[in-house]
């Protein structure tokens, strides 16, 4: 953000270019998903989800299986970055109670979210930003509108779901 401001002030980029990224619908959607994640945390829904996901797991392996099933599925429909930030305290608390090193579950948590995020358009910020760039490019060049149409919600599922299944099984 600081670099954009500096470049705009010294004239490397125009003010229109500096603010263009903030009008990208993908970036606005990511911001809205952070608000949803904060709402889940503030209402206590997050702690209920945490007790549901890891509450009955007594072993590290059990926690991994429960995380794989729930976190991967959730990250397909909520952006994966807020899910990781929501689950970090849940996983750390579970690890503290069970005397398990948090790194044993935090890295798999991130991977499960990444794998789930590849299944849908809204699952990861990258998909949303690329979709927004495709829409912008098609709007600027009408010749591209036939090849660069907006992605549908489940368009990436043909590749993402098998990829997520294989990745979860490997983990």
């Amino acid at each position: 953000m600081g670099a954009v401001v500096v470049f705009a002030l010294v004239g490397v980029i125009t003010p229109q270019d500096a603010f263009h990224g903030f009008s990208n619908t993908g970036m606005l959607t990511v911001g809205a998903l952070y608000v949803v994640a904060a709402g889940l945390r503030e209402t206590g829904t997050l702690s209920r989800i945490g007790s549901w996901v890891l509450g009955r797991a007594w072993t590290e392996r059990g926690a991994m299986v429960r995380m794989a099933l729930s976190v991967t599925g959730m990250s397909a429909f909520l952006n994966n970055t807020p899910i990781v930030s929501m689950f970090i305290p849940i996983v750390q608390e579970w690890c503290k109670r069970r005397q398990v090193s948090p790194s044993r579950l935090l890295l798999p948590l991130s991977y499960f979210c990444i794998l789930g995020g590849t299944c849908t358009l809204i699952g990861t910020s990258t998909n949303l930003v690329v979709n927004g760039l495709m829409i912008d490019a098609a709007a600027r060049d009408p010749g591209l509108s036939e090849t660069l149409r907006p992605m549908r919600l489940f368009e990436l599922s043909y590749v993402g779901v098998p990829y997520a299944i294989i990745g979860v099984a490997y983990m």
Side-chain angles (χ1 to χ4, degrees):
M1 185 79 131
V4 169
V5 170
V6 170
F7 287 157
L9 289 175
V10 297
V12 174
I13 59 175
T14 66
Q16 292 81 9
D17 289 337
F19 291 107
H20 182 72
F22 295 108
S23 67
N24 184 308
T25 56
M27 291 304 297
L28 296 174
T29 305
V30 171
L33 289 172
Y34 275 104
V35 172
V36 170
L40 289 173
R41 186 175 26 244
E42 292 299 318
T43 60
T45 304
L46 177 60
S47 60
R48 285 192 294 276
I49 291 172
S51 64
W52 175 75
V53 171
L54 294 178
R56 296 183 190 145
W58 294 100
T59 65
E60 181 182 332
R61 184 178 190 92
M64 286 272 286
V65 169
R66 293 180 69 87
M67 272 192 338
L69 297 174
S70 58
V71 170
T72 305
M74 281 191 289
S75 68
F77 297 100
L78 286 172
N79 191 274
N80 59 9
T81 306
I83 289 181
V84 170
S85 68
M86 287 188 319
F87 271 90
I88 285 174
I90 294 168
V91 170
Q92 287 177 327
E93 178 61 30
W94 185 90
C95 288
K96 184 178 178 183
R97 283 183 298 177
R98 304 291 189 270
Q99 297 177 347
V100 173
S101 173
S103 64
R104 305 272 303 161
L105 292 178
L106 289 176
L107 194 57
L109 168 68
S110 177
Y111 289 148
F112 292 144
C113 282
I114 291 168
L115 291 168
T118 62
C119 296
T120 62
L121 175 62
I122 63 172
T124 184
S125 306
T126 308
N127 294 348
L128 290 168
V129 171
V130 167
N131 187 53
L133 292 173
M134 289 170 47
I135 292 169
D136 289 348
R140 281 193 306 273
D141 184 357
L144 292 175
S145 63
E146 303 226 358
T147 56
L148 288 180
R149 58 175 176 67
M151 287 189 267
R152 296 180 313 271
L153 178 64
F154 295 108
E155 189 163 342
L156 301 170
S157 299
Y158 300 111
V159 174
V161 170
Y163 165 73
I165 291 169
I166 291 168
V168 166
Y170 177 77
M171 296 270 305

